[in-house]
Amino acid sequence: MAGWVRWSVTMVVAVATFGVCLWGAQSLSWGWMPQAEADRWVVATAFASVMATVVAGAVGWWAGRAQPTTAGPVERTVSQRVTASGRGQAAQVGGNQNTPAPGGAGGGPSSVEQEAEVADDASVTQVGGDQRNGLGDDEQLRRS
């Protein structure tokens, strides 16, 4: 059963419990109820509130126990656009860069769209998935 349905049931049961307990405390003759009408409403409302809270707690526990649904793999789409000119440098990486992918598997996107406009002595590096640079590779790139 869906989570929102369980929580809807919880709310309906709590409201119904409150109504039934309020009606029962007001209409039935109880030895412990006060004689004045205003006092009877106060006691009946307090009794109905306590009972509805107890029932809502129990049914809410049931509603919160719902097993999470496992969704299929999430498709990631990456769309990147870069313009470089002069002596500018740009790098576009669609997945992870120098970090392990989540879960140890290929964490790259399922769809990559990269667009680059380059002018003069500018350079652009585009990687559609994960990029792993070895130690010192960043320094070598800066010197060239």
Side-chain angles (χ1 to χ4, degrees), residues 8-83:
S8 297
V9 168
T10 301
M11 293 303 297
V12 168
V13 168
V15 169
T17 301
F18 180 82
V20 168
C21 288
L22 185 64
W23 171 81
Q26 270 298 96
S27 63
L28 300 175
S29 177
W30 303 94
W32 50 268
M33 290 292 282
Q35 296 301 320
E37 186 69 21
D39 292 340
R40 288 180 64 88
W41 272 108
V42 170
V43 172
T45 303
F47 172 72
S49 297
V50 169
M51 294 308 294
T53 301
V54 169
V55 170
V59 179
W61 172 81
W62 165 76
R65 288 189 45 198
Q67 296 296 325
T69 59
T70 55
V74 177
E75 268 194 42
R76 279 186 32 213
T77 302
V78 174
S79 179
Q80 298 173 327
R81 181 184 176 110
V82 66
T83 302

Short mmCIF file of all heavy atoms in Angstrom, two decimals, residues 8-83:
data_model
loop_
_atom_site.label_atom_id
_atom_site.label_comp_id
_atom_site.label_asym_id
_atom_site.label_seq_id
_atom_site.Cartn_x
_atom_site.Cartn_y
_atom_site.Cartn_z
N SER A 8 -3.25 8.66 5.01
CA SER A 8 -4.65 9.09 4.89
C SER A 8 -5.54 8.25 5.80
O SER A 8 -6.44 8.78 6.46
CB SER A 8 -5.13 8.99 3.44
OG SER A 8 -4.40 9.87 2.63
N VAL A 9 -5.30 6.95 5.81
CA VAL A 9 -6.05 6.06 6.70
C VAL A 9 -5.83 6.47 8.15
O VAL A 9 -6.76 6.51 8.97
CB VAL A 9 -5.65 4.58 6.47
CG1 VAL A 9 -6.19 3.68 7.56
CG2 VAL A 9 -6.13 4.11 5.10
N THR A 10 -4.60 6.81 8.50
CA THR A 10 -4.29 7.24 9.86
C THR A 10 -5.11 8.47 10.24
O THR A 10 -5.68 8.54 11.34
CB THR A 10 -2.79 7.55 9.99
OG1 THR A 10 -2.04 6.37 9.67
CG2 THR A 10 -2.43 8.01 11.38
N MET A 11 -5.17 9.44 9.35
CA MET A 11 -5.92 10.66 9.65
C MET A 11 -7.42 10.38 9.78
O MET A 11 -8.07 10.89 10.70
CB MET A 11 -5.68 11.71 8.56
CG MET A 11 -4.26 12.24 8.53
SD MET A 11 -3.72 12.95 10.08
CE MET A 11 -4.85 14.31 10.23
N VAL A 12 -7.97 9.57 8.89
CA VAL A 12 -9.39 9.26 8.94
C VAL A 12 -9.73 8.51 10.23
O VAL A 12 -10.73 8.82 10.90
CB VAL A 12 -9.82 8.45 7.69
CG1 VAL A 12 -11.20 7.87 7.84
CG2 VAL A 12 -9.74 9.33 6.45
N VAL A 13 -8.91 7.55 10.60
CA VAL A 13 -9.15 6.78 11.83
C VAL A 13 -9.07 7.69 13.05
O VAL A 13 -9.88 7.59 13.98
CB VAL A 13 -8.17 5.60 11.93
CG1 VAL A 13 -8.19 4.96 13.30
CG2 VAL A 13 -8.50 4.56 10.86
N ALA A 14 -8.10 8.61 13.09
CA ALA A 14 -7.97 9.52 14.22
C ALA A 14 -9.18 10.43 14.35
O ALA A 14 -9.71 10.63 15.45
CB ALA A 14 -6.69 10.34 14.09
N VAL A 15 -9.64 10.99 13.24
CA VAL A 15 -10.82 11.88 13.27
C VAL A 15 -12.06 11.09 13.66
O VAL A 15 -12.88 11.56 14.47
CB VAL A 15 -10.99 12.58 11.91
CG1 VAL A 15 -12.33 13.29 11.82
CG2 VAL A 15 -9.85 13.56 11.68
N ALA A 16 -12.24 9.89 13.13
CA ALA A 16 -13.39 9.06 13.47
C ALA A 16 -13.36 8.68 14.96
O ALA A 16 -14.40 8.72 15.63
CB ALA A 16 -13.42 7.81 12.61
N THR A 17 -12.20 8.35 15.47
CA THR A 17 -12.08 8.02 16.89
C THR A 17 -12.46 9.22 17.75
O THR A 17 -13.19 9.08 18.75
CB THR A 17 -10.65 7.57 17.22
OG1 THR A 17 -10.32 6.43 16.43
CG2 THR A 17 -10.49 7.24 18.69
N PHE A 18 -11.98 10.40 17.38
CA PHE A 18 -12.32 11.60 18.13
C PHE A 18 -13.84 11.81 18.13
O PHE A 18 -14.45 12.07 19.18
CB PHE A 18 -11.62 12.82 17.54
CG PHE A 18 -11.94 14.09 18.26
CD1 PHE A 18 -11.26 14.42 19.42
CD2 PHE A 18 -12.91 14.95 17.78
CE1 PHE A 18 -11.56 15.60 20.09
CE2 PHE A 18 -13.22 16.11 18.45
CZ PHE A 18 -12.55 16.44 19.61
N GLY A 19 -14.46 11.69 16.96
CA GLY A 19 -15.91 11.90 16.86
C GLY A 19 -16.71 10.90 17.67
O GLY A 19 -17.65 11.27 18.39
N VAL A 20 -16.35 9.63 17.57
CA VAL A 20 -17.07 8.59 18.31
C VAL A 20 -16.90 8.78 19.81
O VAL A 20 -17.87 8.67 20.59
CB VAL A 20 -16.61 7.19 17.85
CG1 VAL A 20 -17.12 6.11 18.78
CG2 VAL A 20 -17.07 6.92 16.43
N CYS A 21 -15.69 9.07 20.26
CA CYS A 21 -15.46 9.25 21.69
C CYS A 21 -16.15 10.51 22.22
O CYS A 21 -16.68 10.51 23.33
CB CYS A 21 -13.96 9.30 21.98
SG CYS A 21 -13.15 7.71 21.82
N LEU A 22 -16.16 11.58 21.46
CA LEU A 22 -16.85 12.80 21.87
C LEU A 22 -18.35 12.55 21.98
O LEU A 22 -18.99 12.94 22.96
CB LEU A 22 -16.57 13.92 20.88
CG LEU A 22 -17.13 15.29 21.23
CD1 LEU A 22 -16.48 15.81 22.51
CD2 LEU A 22 -16.89 16.27 20.10
N TRP A 23 -18.90 11.89 20.97
CA TRP A 23 -20.34 11.56 20.99
C TRP A 23 -20.65 10.65 22.17
O TRP A 23 -21.63 10.86 22.90
CB TRP A 23 -20.74 10.89 19.69
CG TRP A 23 -22.13 10.33 19.73
CD1 TRP A 23 -23.30 11.01 19.56
CD2 TRP A 23 -22.49 8.98 20.01
NE1 TRP A 23 -24.36 10.17 19.70
CE2 TRP A 23 -23.89 8.91 19.98
CE3 TRP A 23 -21.77 7.83 20.28
CZ2 TRP A 23 -24.58 7.74 20.20
CZ3 TRP A 23 -22.45 6.65 20.51
CH2 TRP A 23 -23.84 6.61 20.47
N GLY A 24 -19.82 9.61 22.37
CA GLY A 24 -20.08 8.65 23.46
C GLY A 24 -19.99 9.31 24.83
O GLY A 24 -20.82 9.05 25.71
N ALA A 25 -19.00 10.16 25.03
CA ALA A 25 -18.83 10.81 26.33
C ALA A 25 -19.97 11.80 26.60
O ALA A 25 -20.37 11.99 27.75
CB ALA A 25 -17.49 11.51 26.40
N GLN A 26 -20.50 12.42 25.56
CA GLN A 26 -21.58 13.39 25.74
C GLN A 26 -22.94 12.74 25.88
O GLN A 26 -23.76 13.18 26.67
CB GLN A 26 -21.62 14.35 24.56
CG GLN A 26 -20.78 15.58 24.71
CD GLN A 26 -21.23 16.42 25.87
OE1 GLN A 26 -20.68 16.32 26.95
NE2 GLN A 26 -22.23 17.25 25.67
N SER A 27 -23.20 11.72 25.10
CA SER A 27 -24.55 11.18 25.05
C SER A 27 -24.81 10.07 26.06
O SER A 27 -25.94 9.89 26.49
CB SER A 27 -24.87 10.68 23.65
OG SER A 27 -24.01 9.61 23.32
N LEU A 28 -23.82 9.31 26.43
CA LEU A 28 -24.02 8.23 27.38
C LEU A 28 -23.86 8.75 28.80
O LEU A 28 -23.15 9.72 29.06
CB LEU A 28 -23.04 7.09 27.12
CG LEU A 28 -23.14 6.46 25.72
CD1 LEU A 28 -22.04 5.43 25.54
CD2 LEU A 28 -24.49 5.82 25.50
N SER A 29 -24.52 8.10 29.72
CA SER A 29 -24.46 8.52 31.11
C SER A 29 -23.30 7.83 31.80
O SER A 29 -23.24 6.59 31.89
CB SER A 29 -25.78 8.16 31.81
OG SER A 29 -25.71 8.48 33.17
N TRP A 30 -22.35 8.61 32.25
CA TRP A 30 -21.18 8.10 32.95
C TRP A 30 -21.21 8.66 34.38
O TRP A 30 -21.48 9.82 34.60
CB TRP A 30 -19.90 8.55 32.26
CG TRP A 30 -19.80 8.14 30.82
CD1 TRP A 30 -20.15 8.87 29.75
CD2 TRP A 30 -19.30 6.90 30.33
NE1 TRP A 30 -19.90 8.17 28.59
CE2 TRP A 30 -19.38 6.95 28.93
CE3 TRP A 30 -18.80 5.75 30.92
CZ2 TRP A 30 -18.99 5.90 28.11
CZ3 TRP A 30 -18.41 4.71 30.11
CH2 TRP A 30 -18.50 4.78 28.72
N GLY A 31 -20.86 7.86 35.33
CA GLY A 31 -20.86 8.31 36.72
C GLY A 31 -19.78 9.33 37.02
O GLY A 31 -19.92 10.15 37.91
N TRP A 32 -18.72 9.32 36.26
CA TRP A 32 -17.60 10.21 36.53
C TRP A 32 -17.71 11.55 35.82
O TRP A 32 -16.88 12.43 36.02
CB TRP A 32 -16.27 9.53 36.17
CG TRP A 32 -16.22 8.90 34.80
CD1 TRP A 32 -16.52 7.62 34.51
CD2 TRP A 32 -15.84 9.53 33.58
NE1 TRP A 32 -16.37 7.39 33.17
CE2 TRP A 32 -15.94 8.56 32.57
CE3 TRP A 32 -15.44 10.80 33.23
CZ2 TRP A 32 -15.67 8.83 31.24
CZ3 TRP A 32 -15.15 11.07 31.91
CH2 TRP A 32 -15.27 10.08 30.92
N MET A 33 -18.73 11.73 35.00
CA MET A 33 -18.89 12.98 34.26
C MET A 33 -19.55 14.05 35.15
O MET A 33 -20.44 13.74 35.93
CB MET A 33 -19.76 12.77 33.02
CG MET A 33 -19.11 11.95 31.93
SD MET A 33 -17.75 12.81 31.14
CE MET A 33 -18.62 13.91 30.07
N PRO A 34 -19.12 15.31 35.05
CA PRO A 34 -19.76 16.38 35.83
C PRO A 34 -21.20 16.63 35.35
O PRO A 34 -21.57 16.25 34.24
CB PRO A 34 -18.88 17.60 35.57
CG PRO A 34 -18.02 17.26 34.42
CD PRO A 34 -18.01 15.78 34.25
N GLN A 35 -22.00 17.30 36.17
CA GLN A 35 -23.41 17.53 35.85
C GLN A 35 -23.61 18.76 34.96
O GLN A 35 -24.52 18.77 34.14
CB GLN A 35 -24.21 17.69 37.16
CG GLN A 35 -24.21 16.44 38.02
CD GLN A 35 -24.79 15.24 37.30
OE1 GLN A 35 -25.77 15.33 36.57
NE2 GLN A 35 -24.16 14.08 37.49
N ALA A 36 -22.79 19.78 35.12
CA ALA A 36 -22.96 21.01 34.33
C ALA A 36 -22.62 20.74 32.86
O ALA A 36 -21.65 20.05 32.55
CB ALA A 36 -22.07 22.11 34.88
N GLU A 37 -23.41 21.31 31.95
CA GLU A 37 -23.24 21.07 30.51
C GLU A 37 -21.88 21.52 30.00
O GLU A 37 -21.22 20.82 29.22
CB GLU A 37 -24.37 21.78 29.74
CG GLU A 37 -24.38 21.49 28.26
CD GLU A 37 -24.76 20.05 27.91
OE1 GLU A 37 -25.39 19.37 28.73
OE2 GLU A 37 -24.41 19.61 26.81
N ALA A 38 -21.44 22.70 30.40
CA ALA A 38 -20.14 23.21 29.94
C ALA A 38 -19.01 22.32 30.43
O ALA A 38 -18.06 22.03 29.68
CB ALA A 38 -19.94 24.65 30.44
N ASP A 39 -19.11 21.87 31.67
CA ASP A 39 -18.07 20.98 32.21
C ASP A 39 -18.07 19.64 31.50
O ASP A 39 -17.01 19.04 31.29
CB ASP A 39 -18.26 20.79 33.71
CG ASP A 39 -18.01 22.06 34.51
OD1 ASP A 39 -17.32 22.96 33.96
OD2 ASP A 39 -18.49 22.15 35.65
N ARG A 40 -19.26 19.15 31.14
CA ARG A 40 -19.35 17.87 30.41
C ARG A 40 -18.64 17.98 29.05
O ARG A 40 -17.96 17.05 28.62
CB ARG A 40 -20.81 17.46 30.20
CG ARG A 40 -21.50 17.00 31.47
CD ARG A 40 -22.95 16.60 31.20
NE ARG A 40 -23.06 15.46 30.33
CZ ARG A 40 -23.07 14.19 30.73
NH1 ARG A 40 -22.94 13.92 32.02
NH2 ARG A 40 -23.21 13.21 29.88
N TRP A 41 -18.79 19.14 28.35
CA TRP A 41 -18.13 19.33 27.05
C TRP A 41 -16.61 19.35 27.21
O TRP A 41 -15.89 18.79 26.40
CB TRP A 41 -18.59 20.63 26.39
CG TRP A 41 -19.83 20.43 25.56
CD1 TRP A 41 -21.07 20.86 25.86
CD2 TRP A 41 -19.93 19.73 24.33
NE1 TRP A 41 -21.96 20.48 24.88
CE2 TRP A 41 -21.27 19.77 23.93
CE3 TRP A 41 -19.03 19.05 23.52
CZ2 TRP A 41 -21.74 19.19 22.76
CZ3 TRP A 41 -19.48 18.47 22.34
CH2 TRP A 41 -20.82 18.54 21.98
N VAL A 42 -16.13 19.99 28.25
CA VAL A 42 -14.69 20.06 28.47
C VAL A 42 -14.12 18.67 28.72
O VAL A 42 -13.11 18.26 28.13
CB VAL A 42 -14.36 21.02 29.65
CG1 VAL A 42 -12.90 20.90 30.05
CG2 VAL A 42 -14.71 22.45 29.29
N VAL A 43 -14.76 17.91 29.59
CA VAL A 43 -14.28 16.56 29.92
C VAL A 43 -14.41 15.64 28.70
O VAL A 43 -13.51 14.85 28.40
CB VAL A 43 -15.03 15.98 31.14
CG1 VAL A 43 -14.68 14.52 31.36
CG2 VAL A 43 -14.72 16.80 32.37
N ALA A 44 -15.53 15.74 27.98
CA ALA A 44 -15.74 14.89 26.80
C ALA A 44 -14.70 15.20 25.72
O ALA A 44 -14.16 14.28 25.07
CB ALA A 44 -17.15 15.09 26.26
N THR A 45 -14.40 16.48 25.52
CA THR A 45 -13.40 16.86 24.51
C THR A 45 -12.01 16.38 24.91
O THR A 45 -11.25 15.87 24.07
CB THR A 45 -13.40 18.39 24.32
OG1 THR A 45 -14.71 18.81 23.96
CG2 THR A 45 -12.42 18.81 23.24
N ALA A 46 -11.67 16.50 26.18
CA ALA A 46 -10.36 16.01 26.64
C ALA A 46 -10.26 14.50 26.48
O ALA A 46 -9.24 13.97 26.02
CB ALA A 46 -10.14 16.42 28.10
N PHE A 47 -11.32 13.79 26.87
CA PHE A 47 -11.33 12.33 26.72
C PHE A 47 -11.19 11.92 25.25
O PHE A 47 -10.38 11.05 24.91
CB PHE A 47 -12.64 11.78 27.31
CG PHE A 47 -12.84 10.31 27.05
CD1 PHE A 47 -12.09 9.36 27.72
CD2 PHE A 47 -13.79 9.89 26.13
CE1 PHE A 47 -12.28 8.01 27.47
CE2 PHE A 47 -13.98 8.55 25.87
CZ PHE A 47 -13.22 7.60 26.55
N ALA A 48 -11.95 12.58 24.37
CA ALA A 48 -11.90 12.24 22.95
C ALA A 48 -10.52 12.56 22.37
O ALA A 48 -10.00 11.80 21.53
CB ALA A 48 -12.99 13.01 22.19
N SER A 49 -9.91 13.64 22.82
CA SER A 49 -8.57 14.01 22.32
C SER A 49 -7.52 12.97 22.73
O SER A 49 -6.68 12.58 21.92
CB SER A 49 -8.15 15.38 22.87
OG SER A 49 -9.02 16.37 22.39
N VAL A 50 -7.59 12.53 23.99
CA VAL A 50 -6.63 11.52 24.45
C VAL A 50 -6.81 10.22 23.69
O VAL A 50 -5.84 9.60 23.23
CB VAL A 50 -6.76 11.31 25.97
CG1 VAL A 50 -5.98 10.09 26.43
CG2 VAL A 50 -6.29 12.55 26.71
N MET A 51 -8.03 9.78 23.52
CA MET A 51 -8.29 8.52 22.82
C MET A 51 -7.87 8.61 21.34
O MET A 51 -7.27 7.67 20.80
CB MET A 51 -9.78 8.14 22.93
CG MET A 51 -10.20 7.82 24.34
SD MET A 51 -9.15 6.60 25.17
CE MET A 51 -9.49 5.16 24.21
N ALA A 52 -8.15 9.74 20.69
CA ALA A 52 -7.76 9.90 19.29
C ALA A 52 -6.24 9.92 19.16
O ALA A 52 -5.69 9.37 18.20
CB ALA A 52 -8.35 11.18 18.72
N THR A 53 -5.55 10.51 20.13
CA THR A 53 -4.08 10.54 20.10
C THR A 53 -3.50 9.14 20.25
O THR A 53 -2.55 8.76 19.55
CB THR A 53 -3.55 11.46 21.21
OG1 THR A 53 -4.08 12.77 21.01
CG2 THR A 53 -2.03 11.51 21.20
N VAL A 54 -4.07 8.35 21.15
CA VAL A 54 -3.59 6.97 21.34
C VAL A 54 -3.79 6.15 20.07
O VAL A 54 -2.90 5.44 19.61
CB VAL A 54 -4.29 6.32 22.56
CG1 VAL A 54 -4.03 4.82 22.61
CG2 VAL A 54 -3.86 6.99 23.85
N VAL A 55 -4.98 6.24 19.50
CA VAL A 55 -5.28 5.48 18.28
C VAL A 55 -4.41 5.97 17.12
O VAL A 55 -3.87 5.17 16.34
CB VAL A 55 -6.78 5.56 17.95
CG1 VAL A 55 -7.07 5.00 16.56
CG2 VAL A 55 -7.59 4.82 18.99
N ALA A 56 -4.25 7.30 16.98
CA ALA A 56 -3.42 7.85 15.89
C ALA A 56 -1.97 7.41 16.05
O ALA A 56 -1.29 7.15 15.05
CB ALA A 56 -3.51 9.36 15.86
N GLY A 57 -1.50 7.30 17.28
CA GLY A 57 -0.13 6.82 17.51
C GLY A 57 0.05 5.39 17.05
O GLY A 57 1.05 5.05 16.40
N ALA A 58 -0.92 4.54 17.36
CA ALA A 58 -0.82 3.13 16.95
C ALA A 58 -0.94 2.98 15.43
O ALA A 58 -0.14 2.28 14.80
CB ALA A 58 -1.91 2.31 17.64
N VAL A 59 -1.89 3.66 14.85
CA VAL A 59 -2.08 3.56 13.40
C VAL A 59 -0.93 4.28 12.67
O VAL A 59 -0.49 3.84 11.61
CB VAL A 59 -3.46 4.10 12.97
CG1 VAL A 59 -3.65 4.02 11.48
CG2 VAL A 59 -4.57 3.33 13.67
N GLY A 60 -0.43 5.35 13.26
CA GLY A 60 0.72 6.05 12.67
C GLY A 60 1.97 5.19 12.66
O GLY A 60 2.77 5.25 11.74
N TRP A 61 2.13 4.37 13.70
CA TRP A 61 3.25 3.43 13.72
C TRP A 61 3.13 2.48 12.54
O TRP A 61 4.10 2.20 11.85
CB TRP A 61 3.25 2.67 15.04
CG TRP A 61 4.24 1.56 15.09
CD1 TRP A 61 5.57 1.65 15.35
CD2 TRP A 61 3.99 0.17 14.83
NE1 TRP A 61 6.15 0.42 15.28
CE2 TRP A 61 5.21 -0.51 14.96
CE3 TRP A 61 2.85 -0.54 14.51
CZ2 TRP A 61 5.32 -1.88 14.78
CZ3 TRP A 61 2.96 -1.91 14.34
CH2 TRP A 61 4.19 -2.56 14.47
N TRP A 62 1.92 1.99 12.29
CA TRP A 62 1.69 1.11 11.15
C TRP A 62 1.98 1.83 9.84
O TRP A 62 2.63 1.27 8.95
CB TRP A 62 0.24 0.62 11.18
CG TRP A 62 -0.21 0.00 9.89
CD1 TRP A 62 0.09 -1.23 9.40
CD2 TRP A 62 -1.05 0.62 8.91
NE1 TRP A 62 -0.50 -1.42 8.19
CE2 TRP A 62 -1.21 -0.30 7.86
CE3 TRP A 62 -1.68 1.85 8.83
CZ2 TRP A 62 -1.98 -0.02 6.74
CZ3 TRP A 62 -2.45 2.13 7.71
CH2 TRP A 62 -2.59 1.19 6.68
N ALA A 63 1.54 3.08 9.72
CA ALA A 63 1.75 3.83 8.48
C ALA A 63 3.23 4.10 8.24
O ALA A 63 3.70 4.09 7.11
CB ALA A 63 0.98 5.14 8.52
N GLY A 64 3.99 4.32 9.31
CA GLY A 64 5.41 4.61 9.17
C GLY A 64 6.26 3.39 8.91
O GLY A 64 7.43 3.52 8.54
N ARG A 65 5.72 2.21 9.08
CA ARG A 65 6.47 0.97 8.86
C ARG A 65 6.56 0.57 7.40
O ARG A 65 7.19 -0.41 7.06
CB ARG A 65 5.80 -0.19 9.59
CG ARG A 65 5.95 -0.15 11.06
CD ARG A 65 5.46 -1.43 11.66
NE ARG A 65 5.99 -2.53 10.87
CZ ARG A 65 5.52 -3.77 10.88
NH1 ARG A 65 4.49 -4.06 11.60
NH2 ARG A 65 6.06 -4.71 10.15
N ALA A 66 5.95 1.29 6.52
CA ALA A 66 5.92 0.92 5.10
C ALA A 66 7.33 0.72 4.58
O ALA A 66 8.22 1.53 4.81
CB ALA A 66 5.21 1.99 4.28
N GLN A 67 7.53 -0.36 3.88
CA GLN A 67 8.82 -0.65 3.29
C GLN A 67 9.06 0.32 2.14
O GLN A 67 8.19 0.51 1.30
CB GLN A 67 8.87 -2.09 2.77
CG GLN A 67 8.72 -3.13 3.85
CD GLN A 67 9.88 -3.09 4.82
OE1 GLN A 67 11.01 -2.83 4.45
NE2 GLN A 67 9.60 -3.33 6.09
N PRO A 68 10.24 0.92 2.10
CA PRO A 68 10.51 1.83 0.99
C PRO A 68 10.58 1.06 -0.32
O PRO A 68 11.12 -0.05 -0.37
CB PRO A 68 11.87 2.45 1.35
CG PRO A 68 12.49 1.48 2.29
CD PRO A 68 11.36 0.78 3.00
N THR A 69 10.01 1.65 -1.33
CA THR A 69 10.06 1.02 -2.64
C THR A 69 11.43 1.29 -3.25
O THR A 69 11.98 2.37 -3.13
CB THR A 69 8.97 1.58 -3.56
OG1 THR A 69 9.15 2.99 -3.68
CG2 THR A 69 7.59 1.29 -3.00
N THR A 70 11.95 0.29 -3.90
CA THR A 70 13.25 0.45 -4.56
C THR A 70 12.99 0.79 -6.01
O THR A 70 12.42 0.01 -6.76
CB THR A 70 14.08 -0.84 -4.46
OG1 THR A 70 13.32 -1.92 -4.99
CG2 THR A 70 14.43 -1.13 -3.01
N ALA A 71 13.37 1.98 -6.35
CA ALA A 71 13.20 2.44 -7.73
C ALA A 71 14.33 1.88 -8.59
O ALA A 71 15.39 1.52 -8.09
CB ALA A 71 13.20 3.96 -7.79
N GLY A 72 14.09 1.81 -9.85
CA GLY A 72 15.11 1.35 -10.77
C GLY A 72 16.24 2.37 -10.85
O GLY A 72 16.22 3.41 -10.20
N PRO A 73 17.23 2.08 -11.64
CA PRO A 73 18.34 3.02 -11.76
C PRO A 73 17.87 4.36 -12.31
O PRO A 73 17.04 4.42 -13.20
CB PRO A 73 19.30 2.32 -12.73
CG PRO A 73 18.49 1.29 -13.43
CD PRO A 73 17.36 0.93 -12.51
N VAL A 74 18.41 5.41 -11.74
CA VAL A 74 18.05 6.76 -12.16
C VAL A 74 18.90 7.14 -13.36
O VAL A 74 20.12 6.99 -13.34
CB VAL A 74 18.30 7.76 -11.01
CG1 VAL A 74 18.00 9.17 -11.45
CG2 VAL A 74 17.47 7.38 -9.81
N GLU A 75 18.24 7.60 -14.40
CA GLU A 75 18.97 8.03 -15.59
C GLU A 75 19.42 9.46 -15.40
O GLU A 75 18.61 10.33 -15.09
CB GLU A 75 18.08 7.93 -16.83
CG GLU A 75 18.20 6.63 -17.54
CD GLU A 75 17.57 6.68 -18.92
OE1 GLU A 75 17.75 7.67 -19.65
OE2 GLU A 75 16.90 5.70 -19.25
N ARG A 76 20.71 9.67 -15.53
CA ARG A 76 21.25 11.02 -15.42
C ARG A 76 21.56 11.54 -16.81
O ARG A 76 22.19 10.87 -17.61
CB ARG A 76 22.53 11.02 -14.60
CG ARG A 76 22.29 11.02 -13.13
CD ARG A 76 23.57 11.18 -12.33
NE ARG A 76 24.58 11.98 -12.98
CZ ARG A 76 25.88 11.77 -12.84
NH1 ARG A 76 26.32 10.78 -12.11
NH2 ARG A 76 26.75 12.55 -13.43
N THR A 77 21.12 12.74 -17.07
CA THR A 77 21.42 13.40 -18.33
C THR A 77 22.25 14.63 -18.02
O THR A 77 21.90 15.42 -17.15
CB THR A 77 20.13 13.81 -19.05
OG1 THR A 77 19.34 12.65 -19.26
CG2 THR A 77 20.43 14.49 -20.36
N VAL A 78 23.36 14.78 -18.71
CA VAL A 78 24.24 15.92 -18.51
C VAL A 78 24.28 16.71 -19.82
O VAL A 78 24.53 16.15 -20.89
CB VAL A 78 25.67 15.47 -18.12
CG1 VAL A 78 26.61 16.66 -18.06
CG2 VAL A 78 25.64 14.73 -16.80
N SER A 79 24.04 18.02 -19.71
CA SER A 79 24.12 18.92 -20.86
C SER A 79 25.03 20.08 -20.47
O SER A 79 24.75 20.78 -19.50
CB SER A 79 22.73 19.42 -21.22
OG SER A 79 22.81 20.30 -22.32
N GLN A 80 26.13 20.25 -21.21
CA GLN A 80 27.10 21.29 -20.88
C GLN A 80 27.45 22.08 -22.13
O GLN A 80 27.53 21.53 -23.22
CB GLN A 80 28.38 20.67 -20.31
CG GLN A 80 28.16 19.91 -19.02
CD GLN A 80 29.41 19.16 -18.57
OE1 GLN A 80 30.19 18.70 -19.39
NE2 GLN A 80 29.57 19.05 -17.27
N ARG A 81 27.71 23.38 -21.93
CA ARG A 81 28.09 24.25 -23.05
C ARG A 81 29.20 25.16 -22.55
O ARG A 81 29.12 25.70 -21.46
CB ARG A 81 26.90 25.07 -23.49
CG ARG A 81 27.19 25.97 -24.63
CD ARG A 81 25.97 26.83 -24.94
NE ARG A 81 26.30 27.75 -25.99
CZ ARG A 81 25.84 27.69 -27.21
NH1 ARG A 81 24.98 26.75 -27.53
NH2 ARG A 81 26.21 28.56 -28.12
N VAL A 82 30.26 25.33 -23.35
CA VAL A 82 31.38 26.18 -22.96
C VAL A 82 31.86 26.97 -24.17
O VAL A 82 31.81 26.50 -25.30
CB VAL A 82 32.54 25.35 -22.35
CG1 VAL A 82 33.16 24.43 -23.38
CG2 VAL A 82 33.59 26.24 -21.74
N THR A 83 32.30 28.20 -23.87
CA THR A 83 32.94 29.04 -24.88
C THR A 83 34.26 29.50 -24.31
O THR A 83 34.30 30.05 -23.20
CB THR A 83 32.07 30.26 -25.22
OG1 THR A 83 30.81 29.81 -25.68
CG2 THR A 83 32.72 31.13 -26.27
#
